[in-house]
């Protein structure tokens, strides 16, 4: 499974820890930055990661900012992206089972390293349930298409 990572300055240290850990776990990881604590704007990094998922260059995206909120909103502006801002493993599980989330956003200033890893394990190993949830995800696509 190919995973793309990105973060703003609020999330870059956590993103680096997670990148190294995912590589040790055998995942193919692409790190789109940022690469320092210098202040940057989260929409650019949310967009970069979402674009890779949108283009099929990555199977899943995991993105980080201080809260996980801004960068997640940015990712969700791209067509076909379903990015869930999650804080614990159960919401990560549901984001996969019910929403077929293809990205998650995580708050590096809110969630600790161990919890972040638990969330990611669940996100990467839980399948979409389909069925009635597929109909609802189709309706999300319809909303996106109509834009109102
Ligand atoms: C940056 O200070 C901070 O606003 C950002 O990382 C994120 O939390 C925004 O939603």
């Amino acid at each position: 499974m190919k995973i793309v990572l990105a973060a703003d300055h609020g999330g870059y240290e956590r993103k680096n820890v997670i990148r190294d850990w995912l590589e040790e776990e055998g995942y193919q990881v692409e790190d789109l930055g940022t690469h320092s604590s210098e202040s940057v704007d989260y929409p650019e990094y949310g967009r970069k990661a979402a674009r890779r998922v949108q283009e099929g260059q990555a199977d899943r995206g995991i993105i980080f900012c201080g809260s996980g909120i801004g960068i997640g909103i940015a990712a969700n502006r791209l067509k076909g992206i379903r990015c869930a801002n999650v804080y614990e493993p159960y919401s990560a599980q549901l984001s996969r089972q019910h929403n077929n989330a293809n990205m998650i956003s995580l708050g590096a200033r809110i969630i600790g390293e161990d919890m972040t890893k638990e969330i990611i394990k669940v996100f990467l190993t839980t399948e979409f349930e389909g069925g009635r949830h597929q109909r609802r995800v189709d309706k999300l696509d319809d909303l996106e298409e109509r834009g109102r």
Side-chain angles (χ1 to χ4, degrees), residues 79 136 138-148:
K79 196 170 182 174
R136 292 161 186 167
D138 289 344
K139 287 188 176 183
L140 291 178
D141 292 342
D142 188 51
L143 283 175
E144 189 175 62
E145 201 59 51
R146 285 187 285 135
R148 61 191 166 86

Side-chain angles (χ1 to χ4, degrees), residues 7-141:
D8 75 351
H9 55 288
Y12 99 97
E13 283 183 5
R14 180 65 51 76
K15 180 262 296 169
N16 290 351
V17 168
I18 295 301
R19 177 196 60 215
D20 296 347
W21 170 69
L22 285 172
E23 284 174 350
E24 281 166 25
E25 294 286 313
Y27 289 100
Q28 192 178 332
V29 181
E30 182 181 21
D31 178 357
L32 298 178
T34 188
H35 299 293
S36 80
S37 59
E38 189 182 329
S39 182
V40 293
D41 296 333
Y42 59 78
E44 292 174 21
Y45 292 87
R47 187 195 72 82
K48 279 185 190 185
R51 192 86 182 105
R52 299 296 280 165
V53 174
Q54 188 185 49
E55 290 173 330
Q57 303 299 318
D59 301 301
R60 303 273 170 84
I62 304 173
I63 52 181
F64 304 83
C65 67
S67 62
I69 297 170
I71 200 163
I73 291 173
N76 277 316
R77 295 293 172 98
L78 277 78
K79 196 170 182 174
I81 298 302
R82 292 176 301 280
C83 182
N85 180 207
V86 294
Y87 293 90
E88 38 65 48
Y90 186 52
S91 48
Q93 180 188 323
L94 289 172
S95 79
R96 288 290 310 135
Q97 290 176 328
H98 291 190
N99 313 113
N100 200 13
N102 47 18
M103 298 185 68
I104 50 171
S105 60
L106 298 163
R109 293 176 182 154
I110 298 175
I111 314 166
E113 187 179 313
D114 288 350
M115 179 63 85
T116 301
K117 289 178 179 174
E118 289 304 315
I119 290 168
I120 291 172
K121 273 187 212 167
V122 169
F123 175 62
L124 295 179
T125 57
T126 305
E127 294 299 321
F128 179 47
E129 287 180 354
R132 67 187 188 282
H133 301 298
Q134 183 62 61
R135 183 181 69 242
R136 292 161 186 167
V137 169
D138 289 344
K139 287 188 176 183
L140 291 178
D141 292 342

